[in-house]
Amino acid sequence: MENQEAAKQFRLLTDGFKREKAHLYYQPISVQQKRSAVDFPARGTAWASRTTFPAPQDSSITQAVQQAIATLGSGGELVEPFEQADVKVQWSGHRPGVADKEPEPDISEAEKYRRLTECSSSDVTLLYFHGGFYYTGSAATSRNVTSSLANLTCGRCVVPEFRLCPQHPFPAALIDGLVTYLTMLYPPAGSLHRLVSARHIVVVGESSGATISLQLLLLIREIQRNQQGCVRFWGKEVQVPMPGGIATIGAQTDLTYSFPPDELNAAHDFQLPIPPCLDDRMPRCAVWPSQPPRGDMYCETSALCHPLVSPAASGSWDGMPPMYFAYGQEYSAPEGAFIARQASENSIPVEFHHYERLPHIFPFILPKLLQSRHVLQEIARFCTACVGRPQSLVTKNLRYPAAVNDILSVDAGPFANLEPDYVLQRMRDKRAERKIWTGLRETASL
């Protein structure tokens, strides 16, 4: 049963965030990128080792992605020309036995990586995609969570600094994700790491990073089905296996925003049902609107219903590894529940965890809450099981009523029954309503 005092407290915390911080999402995109798409030292109990995963010198990766886009699309999607690129990444881990403000040691990145791996006693390796609406964020901004997950799993994380839009629209981030994944599996000469088994990798992400995680799995499945399961990588034909699992926090799986919000979403989430970059409050700047203007920050309007853009448009989720979804009382939760139902119907073990009365990405904006610690513990449990005991995972649909002291789960019963054709038609209708965004305010100075 819900604790009314806890529900009130959560509402006050979310209102406080809206009042003090939410306006930052409506600063010019160039200002947000300058502030958030940055690196900073890893202090305290976090290891960070920085390196670059080079892209192959031929166009094999772009060709594989181009083929997948064509095969999965309707044929009417406009996709800007794209190319593969080297990917800066950070290995993230837990650094035990130091004070909370201990500075990052002045040693080589190779030595940091060696010490990081020495602190990892399990096979769990998380490929983590940070959030930020596809246009902000970095490995450093998610470091508190990645180092915590590394600690809880006794493992490590690799966090790609994927290319951000609007400068690099779809499929740039997805290509960077594929290059990162393949480099984990097949490290070229000179890499810091040794090869990582696919079954030891769990793909994890928050918010838009969670969406990229789902996009990556759909891309891998498409390569397996229609490209003989192989790509050419550094001059060799290599297999592209599925990872051991996927875990998401606040995945936004419908970029048309066709799933209708309810009153609880409006009361307890800090997001509008449209992204800030399309809101009237967003000022223009040097990078947004794009030139020529688009109807979406991430892609051309015509591509909004492509499964590699909006995973909710995928017809099925068969062939996937175990899946985990965590949401607050947020607009995008019904999207995740829709995918969870599809996956469960395909006999995929799916865990859906709904934390009531809490906003989008609550572990990041309200990290001291008991629920924030709980969701990270649950993700760590799930990831550890994916790697070591995948047969133990079963489908569950749980909700967590608001509480202050104890977290109790309640069986939420069957997932909501929405037919894929109905959802896809709603998405197409919303896409048809999307207008090119040209901005309403004076151009910002940056």
Side-chain angles (χ1 to χ4, degrees):
M1 180 172 292
E2 178 175 273
N3 183 312
Q4 294 297 320
E5 188 61 33
K8 181 180 178 181
Q9 176 185 334
F10 292 172
R11 175 69 181 271
L12 290 174
L13 289 170
T14 301
D15 287 347
F17 178 83
K18 290 179 180 179
R19 185 172 57 253
E20 297 171 12
K21 297 289 183 66
H23 69 280
L24 298 175
Y25 292 110
Y26 300 94
Q27 290 185 341
I29 300 301
S30 53
V31 172
Q32 293 188 54
Q33 289 184 339
K34 186 176 181 180
R35 186 185 71 245
S36 69
V38 296
D39 189 21
F40 45 81
R43 299 186 181 277
T45 58
W47 275 118
S49 173
R50 301 158 185 84
T51 188
T52 298
F53 286 179
Q57 296 175 349
D58 59 22
S59 60
S60 54
I61 299 300
T62 57
Q63 290 174 1
V65 173
Q66 183 66 65
Q67 183 176 334
I69 291 173
T71 304
L72 291 172
S74 64
E77 296 89 356
L78 177 63
V79 178
E80 294 187 14
F82 57 88
E83 58 186 8
Q84 58 206 43
D86 296 347
V87 185
K88 293 181 178 180
V89 305
Q90 288 192 23
W91 288 93
S92 178
H94 177 64
R95 184 183 175 199
V98 298
D100 289 343
K101 295 184 179 180
E102 183 80 11
E104 182 172 337
D106 185 15
I107 54 179
S108 70
E109 299 301 324
E111 179 62 16
K112 292 173 190 174
Y113 178 77
R114 186 187 70 80
R115 297 190 188 184
L116 182 155
T117 54
E118 284 184 346
C119 297
S120 306
S121 59
S122 79
D123 291 327
V124 177
T125 305
L126 307 183
L127 169 52
Y128 191 98
F129 292 94
H130 69 78
F133 294 104
Y134 309 99
Y135 56 82
T136 63
S138 66
T141 57
S142 293
R143 189 179 291 143
N144 286 343
V145 166
T146 56
S147 62
S148 294
L149 288 173
N151 181 33
L152 291 166
T153 60
C154 299
R156 56 188 176 160
C157 303
V158 61
V159 189
E161 303 275 13
F162 55 83
R163 287 170 287 176
L164 302 176
C165 60
Q167 299 95 322
H168 304 284
F170 171 80
L174 181 57
I175 291 173
D176 293 348
L178 181 60
V179 168
T180 302
Y181 183 61
L182 292 174
T183 304
M184 295 171 74
L185 298 174
Y186 309 105
S191 299
L192 292 180
H193 70 287
R194 298 178 179 177
L195 66 87
V196 184
S197 171
R199 64 187 180 87
H200 293 160
I201 299 173
V202 182
V203 183
V204 185
E206 101 262 359
S207 193
S208 55
T211 312
I212 295 171
S213 302
L214 292 164
Q215 294 167 350
L216 178 61
L217 262 63
L218 289 170
L219 174 61
I220 292 171
R221 188 181 67 177
E222 177 56 28
I223 291 172
Q224 290 181 342
R225 288 180 171 178
N226 294 303
Q227 300 184 36
Q228 299 181 324
C230 296
V231 297
R232 191 164 183 81
F233 190 64
W234 289 105
K236 297 180 180 179
E237 291 292 325
V238 298
Q239 294 289 322
V240 188
M242 276 289 176
I246 180 172
T248 66
I249 306 172
Q252 299 165 316
T253 71
D254 171 18
L255 271 67
T256 71
Y257 303 92
S258 68
F259 285 73
D262 60 32
E263 293 181 3
L264 286 177
N265 298 145
H268 295 279
D269 199 8
F270 65 86
Q271 295 191 109
L272 288 168
I274 59 171
C277 63
L278 300 179
D279 190 88
D280 289 349
R281 288 174 284 177
M282 178 62 69
R284 292 177 291 170
C285 68
V287 301
W288 185 247
S290 57
Q291 297 301 324
R294 296 195 297 267
D296 193 86
M297 178 77 74
Y298 187 62
C299 66
E300 295 288 347
T301 304
S302 61
L304 283 172
C305 295
H306 195 288
L308 295 182
V309 172
S310 293
S314 176
S316 72
W317 290 85
D318 59 306
M320 293 294 169
M323 307 178 78
Y324 177 104
F325 297 86
Y327 287 97
Q329 196 84 53
E330 56 189 287
Y331 289 110
S332 52
E335 306 167 16
F338 170 68
I339 291 179
R341 175 178 174 268
Q342 286 186 296
S344 67
E345 290 178 346
N346 293 133
S347 300
I348 307 301
V350 183
E351 293 192 16
F352 191 87
H353 299 252
H354 184 206
Y355 293 81
E356 296 180 347
R357 305 299 192 268
L358 287 172
H360 180 60
I361 58 169
F362 62 89
F364 293 82
I365 66 174
L366 302 171
K368 295 182 179 180
L369 275 184
L370 183 62
Q371 286 77 4
S372 297
R373 297 194 298 271
H374 182 266
V375 72
L376 295 184
Q377 292 167 352
E378 285 295 290
I379 290 173
R381 170 197 57 76
F382 174 84
C383 293
T384 301
C386 285
V387 172
R389 305 179 310 278
Q391 69 281 359
S392 68
L393 294 168
V394 297
T395 294
K396 56 181 72 172
N397 181 15
L398 301 177
R399 63 181 182 88
Y400 299 90
V404 175
N405 298 316
D406 297 310
I407 298 180
L408 299 176
S409 63
V410 177
D411 187 349
F415 294 110
N417 186 12
L418 291 175
E419 291 301 322
D421 289 346
Y422 168 78
V423 169
L424 185 57
Q425 187 57 54
R426 285 184 60 92
M427 293 175 66
R428 288 170 174 164
D429 291 344
K430 276 291 188 180
R431 180 185 61 185
E433 297 173 3
R434 184 71 65 89
K435 293 180 171 56
I436 299 297
W437 195 87
T438 57
L440 296 177
R441 293 189 177 185
E442 294 182 359
T443 304
S445 59
L446 289 179

